[in-house]
Amino acid sequence: MSKQYDYDVLYLGAGHGTFDGAIPLASKGYHLGVIEADKIGGTCPNWGCNAKIALDAPVRTLHEKQRLNGILNGDLSIDWYKNMQHKHKIIDGLPNAIEGLLKHFKIDVIKGRGSLVDGHTVEVNGKTKSAKNIVIATGLHSNHLDIPGSDLAHDSKDFLALDHMPKNLTIIGSGYISIEFADIANASGANVTVLMHHDKALRQFYQPYVEKTLDALSQRGVKFIKNATPKSFEKDGSQLTVKYNDDKVKTDWILDATGRNPNVKNIGLDKVGVKYDANGIKVDDHLRTSVDSIYASGDVADTDEPKLTPTAQFQSKYLMHLFSGDTKDAIDYPVIPTVVFSSPRLAKFGVSVDEAKQKGYKVVSKNLTGDWYRQIDKEQPAHLTLIFDQDKHLVGATEVSDKADDTIDSLLPAAEYKLSPAQVERMIYLFPSIASDVWANL
Ligand SMILES: Cc1cc2nc3c(=O)[nH]c(=O)nc-3n(C[C@H](O)[C@H](O)[C@H](O)COP(=O)(O)OP(=O)(O)OC[C@H]3O[C@@H](n4cnc5c(N)ncnc54)[C@H](O)[C@@H]3O)c2cc1C
Ligand SMILES: NC(=O)c1ccc[n+]([C@@H]2O[C@H](COP(=O)([O-])OP(=O)(O)OC[C@H]3O[C@@H](n4cnc5c(N)ncnc54)[C@H](O)[C@@H]3O)[C@@H](O)[C@H]2O)c1
């Protein structure tokens, strides 16, 4: 370790942008500190991916039961309170587990809000800590609409801690959080209204497939109102009103799901000259900020990659390799998939259908509902689009179906390693299985 500083590397934030790389870096003998203002583990385990997918498990089962109605008999319903208790049981221990792991590798865990003092120094709890390099991995926070009554609205953290599902729930926005939570709330018995800012939802996904997900949600009772600009939230007793355009909707609970903004305020960026804007902290292709000794990782870094856990993990591991001298190369991202955990799920990676058309790539679209394997549990809808370059390599895929997360995941090696048709043919999968089913399309 450098004698000049307290640490080799000091991390601000203890989410995936930090710990996936910090742990292997510490195991190589580097002396590290991690400063966390809230729960160790950050958004994903506590208020994001893990918490959400725990609540989604019975939703998935309920939808499967609905598809198999008549074969499977009896009524199923979700007990929200028990579902939430179950979530607490499996999620609440994660911060301690991750902290235990950090400490096991002799990483100093400092609880408090850190702020940069200079290129090598952070102030936390009135003390200063120094490091050869600093990594800012402070993540994002929920956007709060700047309209009258905005305090009456809740964010995704509140939803993921709801003890009782409200009877009527109104969601503002139609991105990832809106569509996933609309699905969970609807399956759990709420009347859900989604106010879409435009006439399209999930605009980064293939729109014909997004429409299929929205159709499924509409058929189950979710109400979508297009081109709705929220004007105010008002309260009369326990009744809330969302005013939008020249109309209004009465509701019991409002979820503001209008996006997430980088945590760049009050961490000393201006003081030390780290450049940032509304998209996050500016970094070069080595994740280095405008100050040489300071790097940024995870959601707070302004990169072209999707702001997801796998991106944060990859970046923090890249920094581990950079700091330990394993590499001097620029970060080279693999194919990063993404999924909306609705029912049906929407998943994709790589080249989009629009890009494929511009590049003259081959686009193959399939209605999978006729596949015998999809008929087993009456999957409806189930559509897959595959994109191949001129050399017949798979370069993009998108699917809408209840199994889309698994199918898209299983296709990743074909795209990442540019498998040739002959190599694809050598791949053997368990039969019958969803991987075997989807690879038969290559
Ligand atoms: C509701 C929801 C669902 C999601 N679902 C998925 C999903 O299914 N799949 C997926 O891939 N991604 C999902 N995401 C995104 C995923 O959670 C993030 O991409 C991931 O958590 C980013 O990790 P990070 O370390 O960059 O930031 P974070 O996990 O947000 O960690 C940042 C940490 O920094 C701390 N911090 C901030 N300021 C300071 C300071 N000054 N001093 C000390 N600490 C500070 C914060 O308290 C926080 O703990 C979801 C996000 C949300 C909100
Ligand atoms: N499955 C996953 O991987 C997953 C799930 C949830 C969240 N996330 C992450 O969290 C991020 C945030 O999710 P999100 O759903 O909040 O954001 P988002 O960017 O996906 O969607 C924001 C929505 O709010 C709308 N909106 C923006 N400004 C508005 C305004 N003034 N009035 C009304 N509507 C407005 C947008 O049109 C959009 O529909 C995602 O981008 C993603 O990185 C990922």
Side-chain angles (χ1 to χ4, degrees):
M1 185 190 81
S2 158
K3 291 204 180 96
Q4 208 182 333
Y5 303 109
D6 296 326
Y7 301 108
D8 294 309
V9 186
L10 181 58
Y11 295 81
L12 217 51
H16 279 289
T18 287
F19 69 83
D20 287 86
I23 290 170
L25 187 61
S27 75
K28 288 174 181 237
Y30 288 80
H31 186 44
L32 311 179
V34 170
I35 303 175
E36 173 53 57
D38 203 323
K39 287 196 179 178
I40 302 290
T43 305
C44 184
N46 296 302
W47 302 289
C49 340
N50 305 39
K52 173 259 317 273
I53 211 70
L55 292 173
D56 181 64
V59 176
R60 216 175 31 191
T61 306
L62 187 76
H63 290 147
E64 193 160 5
K65 153 76 177 71
Q66 285 164 350
R67 292 202 304 272
L68 293 174
N69 236 354
I71 299 173
L72 272 175
N73 292 318
D75 289 333
L76 283 190
S77 64
I78 294 174
D79 182 324
W80 179 260
Y81 182 76
K82 287 193 179 145
N83 197 18
M84 189 55 74
Q85 293 304 306
H86 177 63
K87 184 220 82 167
H88 282 305
K89 201 171 160 202
I90 53 179
I91 298 298
D92 291 359
L94 292 177
N96 274 346
I98 299 166
E99 185 171 348
L101 211 53
L102 293 170
K103 288 184 170 163
H104 175 78
F105 286 96
K106 302 198 172 17
I107 299 173
D108 279 353
V109 176
I110 304 163
K111 307 265 175 77
R113 186 163 291 280
S115 178
L116 295 164
V117 176
D118 62 37
H120 295 281
T121 315
V122 174
E123 186 185 329
V124 56
N125 304 327
K127 294 186 182 143
T128 55
K129 299 283 174 190
S130 63
K132 182 170 180 232
N133 289 118
I134 293 170
V135 176
I136 306 172
T138 49
L140 310 174
H141 61 273
S142 299
N143 187 51
H144 295 286
L145 281 174
D146 188 14
I147 57 173
S150 61
D151 287 353
L152 297 170
H154 298 268
D155 64 16
S156 53
K157 255 186 186 179
D158 300 328
F159 181 93
L160 291 167
L162 266 176
D163 270 344
H164 298 283
M165 180 55 69
K167 193 157 178 261
N168 300 293
L169 187 137
T170 300
I171 305 180
I172 319 292
S174 52
Y176 283 87
I177 292 175
S178 167
I179 302 304
E180 289 182 349
F181 289 11
D183 197 7
I184 293 174
N186 163 269
S188 308
N191 299 313
V192 180
T193 302
V194 174
L195 295 195
M196 295 166 59
H197 205 205
H198 307 276
D199 59 351
K200 292 187 175 73
L202 293 162
R203 282 184 288 171
Q204 61 277 61
F205 284 81
Y206 184 44
Q207 285 301 308
Y209 290 2
V210 172
E211 287 299 323
K212 292 190 187 301
T213 291
L214 297 198
D215 284 351
L217 285 167
S218 299
Q219 279 165 28
R220 294 199 291 264
V222 176
K223 190 174 171 198
F224 291 95
I225 301 176
K226 292 182 175 174
N227 300 309
T229 299
K231 294 275 169 64
S232 68
F233 304 141
E234 291 168 18
K235 188 171 182 175
D236 184 6
S238 61
Q239 180 79 86
L240 300 171
T241 302
V242 175
K243 290 200 169 159
Y244 65 95
N245 304 350
D246 294 324
D247 216 332
K248 61 185 175 190
V249 53
K250 292 208 177 293
T251 193
D252 303 318
W253 212 81
I254 303 166
L255 173 63
D256 181 342
T258 56
R260 287 170 59 77
N261 306 317
N263 289 324
V264 287
K265 296 267 163 66
N266 304 320
I267 55 171
L269 299 184
D270 295 320
K271 191 181 198 173
V272 302
V274 172
K275 295 205 171 94
Y276 65 94
D277 65 15
N279 296 318
I281 295 177
K282 303 288 151 201
V283 287
D284 66 12
D285 56 8
H286 286 70
L287 299 181
R288 193 190 287 259
T289 70
S290 48
V291 174
D292 274 0
S293 53
I294 303 180
Y295 293 75
S297 170
D299 281 359
V300 78
D302 177 15
T303 68
D304 292 336
E305 308 310 310
K307 291 185 187 293
L308 299 170
T309 289
T311 312
Q313 291 174 318
F314 190 80
Q315 291 174 337
S316 63
K317 285 184 195 158
Y318 165 76
L319 286 178
M320 175 267 292
H321 290 301
L322 193 71
F323 293 147
S324 62
D326 295 344
T327 186
K328 287 191 167 70
D329 295 345
I331 189 164
D332 176 19
Y333 291 100
V335 181
I336 300 179
T338 180
V339 55
V340 183
F341 287 102
S342 48
S343 177
R345 279 143 165 58
L346 277 160
K348 64 164 187 164
F349 66 73
V351 173
S352 70
V353 174
D354 285 345
E355 283 173 86
K357 285 178 184 160
Q358 284 161 19
K359 290 181 170 163
Y361 289 171
K362 188 172 169 197
V363 178
V364 181
S365 289
K366 297 209 161 190
N367 181 346
L368 302 169
T369 47
D371 279 15
W372 76 271
Y373 193 69
R374 304 292 182 133
Q375 287 175 26
I376 289 173
D377 55 3
K378 301 190 181 183
E379 271 219 76
Q380 189 71 268
H383 295 260
L384 170 68
T385 293
L386 299 170
I387 293 158
F388 299 90
D389 68 9
Q390 280 89 353
D391 298 323
K392 300 186 178 161
H393 295 136
L394 181 71
V395 290
T398 178
E399 178 163 323
V400 58
S401 80
D402 277 325
K403 298 189 179 73
D405 43 347
D406 291 332
T407 57
I408 290 297
D409 247 355
S410 90
L411 289 173
L412 284 167
E416 176 57 24
Y417 298 109
K418 295 202 169 11
L419 298 187
S420 66
Q423 288 170 315
V424 166
E425 202 181 311
R426 280 193 60 76
M427 295 295 294
I428 300 271
Y429 282 96
L430 290 174
F431 187 85
S433 72
I434 193 63
S436 144
D437 186 68
V438 72
W439 273 68
N441 292 295
L442 294 186

